[in-house]
Structure formats: C-alpha cells, structure tokens
Amino acid sequence: MSGFARRIRSTDRDRGRCAGAGRALAAAVAVLGASALTGCAPTGTDAPRAAAAPPAASTEPADRAELRPFYQQKLTWSGCGELECATLTVPMDYAQPQNGKTFVLPLARKTAADPAQRVGSLVFGPGGPGVSGVRHLTSGGIESFSKESRARFDVVGFDQRGVAGSKPAVDCTPADPSPGAPAVTPPGGTGGANADAPKPLFPRTDAERRAALADADRSAADCRARSGALLPHLGTLDAARDLDVLRAALGEDRLTYIGWSYSTYLGTVYAEQFPHRVRAMVLDAAVDPSLDWSAQALSSGRAFRKAVDDYADNCANVAGPNCPADTPDGIRTLVADLYAKVARRPLPVKGSTEGLDEATLHTAVTMSMYTPEEQWRELSEGLSAARRGDGTKLAAIARKSASLQSEGSDSPSVPDSSTGSTAPAPADSSNPAPRDNTADVLLAVNCLDVPHPTDPQAYWDVLDRAHQESGAFGASTVLAELPCRTWPAGPTTPHRVKADGLPPVLVVGTTGDAATPYEDARSLAAQLPGGMLLTFDGLGHTAYGRSNSCVTNAVDRYLIHLAPVPAGTSC
C-alpha cells in the first residue's frame, strides 16, 4: 500500500534513513515504510457458530487442474536452529500457472509448545510490504506472540513473493551506483537517486520539483531495469493467492491468521477472495482499502504530525527528565526550530563528513514514533544534543533505524537490552542471509496495489495541500508516491470490502498510531461483515505484542476459542 509506513514496519518496526542527494525521497518513503507444517484440523476448541459454506458449484482454485500441483505439494520441514524451515512453490502468474515460472518462498515455524492442546497453524504477516516473516522468527520474533498462543499454535512465518529469501527476489538498486553510495539501499529509500546535494523535504520551486521528479523517475527506472519481469506479479492480490496455497500445504481447511500493519491489507485481500477459507483473522494496525493514494498520503501526514504532538504532550510521562524542554510547547518549538536550522545548514556529526540535514532529522523524528516506550528517551537525548549544536545522536538514531528495518518487521519485536536491536541469524548458517530488499518491495507493491496519476501536477497539487495541513510530515508522504507515476498498472483499485460469507474478523486499532491511523481501523471494521473493533487507547504502532494484557487476552481468546470481542471494547 502507499500513504504510510507500511513496512515497517515496520516494526517493524518501520525504520528509515537517508543518504546522498536522494535523501528527501528516501526520508519520504521512510515515513511510508512508515506502514505469513504439517497441520491438522482445529481440535474442537472452536466456539459453536455457523460456518460459511463454499459455493455449490466449485470455484476453488485447488480444483483447477493447472493449480492442483501447487495446492497438493507436501512441505518438507528441517531444523533451523530452534525452528523448522521449509519452502513453498507458487506460480509467478496465476493466469498462466503452467508456464514454468514460479516463486519459491521460504517458510519458518515454531511448533506448538503444548501439542496435546494444539489448535492448528497460526500464519502471521509481519508488515511491510517487504518485511521477511522468516527473518522475524529467526531473530526472536516469536516473543511477539503470547505464551498462550505459542502453546496452542504452530506459529508460521513466510517471505512474501519477491521478498528477502524469495527466489526470485526484487532488486531495485541502481545499475551504476555513484562512488561512495551505501552498499545497502536505505530502508524507506528507493535506491535510485545519486545526485550530490540533498533535496528539500518540501520542494517549492519549479527547479526543485523537476529535480524531485527526476529522482523519483530514476528510482522507478532502476526497478524496471533489474526486476522488470517481476514487477507485474508482486501485488497483494497474488500474495493473497499464495497465502491460500500455504494454507493448503499446511493441511489447514481454514486459515488462522494475524497480520500487522501492511499485512492487514494482505489479510483483507485474502478474505475477499477466500471468505469461506477463514477460521480466524486478526488485523492489527489496519489499512483502509477504500482510500486512494492521495487520501492515504494526506491521512498519513496528519497522523505523523499528531504523533509528534503526542510526543510533546507525553514526553514527561515516558522519557521523564530526559525531555528536551520543560513544557510541551517548548518541545514543539525546539523541533520546529531544528527543522528550520538544519535546512539552512546541517549540524556536525562526529566521525562523519556528512552532517545532520533536514532529511536525516526527519527520519530520526518520524521513525521514533513507532514504539514510544523504547524510543522516546533516546529521541529526547538526541534533540537535547542537537539544541546544543551536535547532530551525532540524531544521526545515530537514523542509522539505527536503517539497521532495525533490515532486521525487523511491523510486528512487535524484542530488542537487545544493550543496543535496542535484534541480531537475526540465518536459518542455515552455511548460507549467507538474503539481501534485505525491504525498500525495493515497499516501492514495488505500493505502486502496483494503488493506481497513481501520471501527470506530475496531480502530485504537486496534493503536495501543497499536505504541506499546508501537516508541514514536512505531509510533504514527505506525498513525495514518496512520486516513483509510482511511471509504474505499471496493477489489477486492483480502492474499494470498500466485499466478502460475503466471511466469519467475524477482529480489527485492532491504536488511537495514537502514526503509521496506520486509528480511523483506518474503525473504517475497516465497519466494512467487514461482522467486523469487530478492539481499541487500544495508547501510543505507537500496533497493539498485540506490545500493549497490555487487556489486548493480549482479547486477541488470544478470539484466536484460540473464536470468542467474540464485544462492540466498544477499549483497552
């Protein structure tokens, strides 16, 4: 999706950083990126309810002769550390599944701790698009799930088509990177801009806008040059079909699924295509599929600006004496003054020839809005140092955001106590870990999933409005959409959900979520037939796995026992 940090998540969490002259575009996408077993049937823990019946005349993909080999494949699991790993083969083009072109997707699972009480497989989507579910599990992400859910389910992660260990995988790195360019594409960046001077977060003049447009077009051209044959096949519609092949390969008659951030959209698309194949579905930090690109961008900008206001208002409660000013208004003034100051002249950064410019500051601030309990103290220290003229700590936050993005997910993670990050180990230490291509997939899927205009003026019109509403936070979300201008058209358009026969789905929304605004959760729950909304009255991105026992218990009861969540439930 586009219009928010749908990677990162995350969380992911969703992180980003910028380098070189493409920093403004990279920072913009960082705000967007801002935002999956041999199984057996459920063991009788399901609460009584009417099951949706499949159509009388079978329209099951598994009944199509050309898809039968994919649906009937047997997974071969082998040990990979404390987990088990396997691969799943899916057709690259579901319209031509017999042409020999496929994606091979890596899988990882942690088997149920209590086999006697096992319900089945719980497939999860960690966010993105572009986050590796396998990497999430191998880097300790199993702790995102409660002890009760780990006891009752095999927790299964996968790399979506084109992501990380997928074969083939998307590559949008420049064909001829400039000397000194970072070896890894900046998370949230597009890897395609290599001019020498940083560009402003809000291009005002015709010259600045021409430069931003050229930067974006170059990013799109890099993707086409390296991965052009893959690009039409990376959309969420096809990824949802893969999810159904995975369900069948796991031996599950119906899917039990939890998706965070972007992966809520993956779940929604699955529910529309296969409503009678859903057992239980939790969509945490939801994406509203009815919004077009401009509505998403404007909403995301407003949400990030509100999140920074929330930081100012709640800093004393979270960061205590580390807050960079004595009052909320003082913090707001400090942040605004820093943006203006570094736009004129970057602050020095120790050990680096590049200073803290506007884009790097923007990355540090916005990417610190995902997990306040973990990030606000460090952000406060960085802002205090920047007020004294030292940009080192904020630059380090931006760099760490890049590292965490390559390792993390939009789902909650467990940081190392000393560094605040996790150190993932590859499933097979004899093979190198796959290249992190989160930023590449983020761009590719976002552009394919939501139609975008080709006329640059359409972007400038929305850019002006976004900047007026939300300042740099709004401008950056619109700039991130620019590479989609020349992207191949995808098969989907914004629409309200249509999923007749879908059992009750649980949508979880956090009131202070910047990456996926709370109103998206409310809207999605209302669109789903029998949709249930669970509200977490708190700050940050996502709720299950990082909020409180009220959320955890409600989600667990639903996943395990299909217990409904009463309307109006707030935690």
Side-chain angles (χ1 to χ4, degrees), residues 304-321:
F304 269 99
R305 180 164 186 164
K306 179 182 180 298
V308 176
D309 281 339
D310 288 341
Y311 162 68
D313 290 335
N314 295 279
C315 182
N317 297 328
V318 178

Side-chain angles (χ1 to χ4, degrees), residues 32-187:
L32 299 184
S35 228
L37 311 200
T38 50
C40 62
T43 61
T45 58
D46 296 10
R49 61 139 195 229
S58 178
T59 58
E60 290 283 332
D63 292 337
R64 290 173 52 190
E66 63 270 28
L67 288 177
R68 201 168 294 140
F70 298 100
Y71 271 87
Q72 293 180 351
Q73 66 186 292
K74 304 298 182 182
L75 300 178
T76 302
W77 295 96
S78 60
C80 50
E82 297 181 353
L83 305 173
E84 294 180 345
C85 294
T87 58
L88 179 79
T89 301
V90 296
M92 182 173 292
D93 185 350
Y94 277 89
Q96 303 179 70
Q98 292 178 310
N99 66 5
K101 297 179 180 180
T102 64
F103 285 101
V104 178
L105 310 181
L107 312 175
R109 73 172 176 181
K110 179 70 172 178
T111 56
D114 187 355
Q117 297 296 316
R118 179 181 177 275
V119 176
S121 299
L122 172 58
V123 179
F124 76 91
V131 175
S132 166
V134 170
R135 192 177 181 91
H136 183 70
L137 277 188
T138 59
S139 61
I142 191 65
E143 299 299 326
S144 302
F145 302 86
S146 70
K147 181 179 180 180
E148 183 68 11
S149 65
R150 298 198 305 268
R152 304 296 293 274
F153 291 102
D154 295 343
V155 179
V156 181
F158 66 103
D159 285 3
Q160 194 166 313
R161 53 174 51 213
V163 173
S166 163
K167 295 180 180 179
V170 180
D171 184 358
C172 294
T173 54
D176 184 22
S178 63
V184 178
T185 301

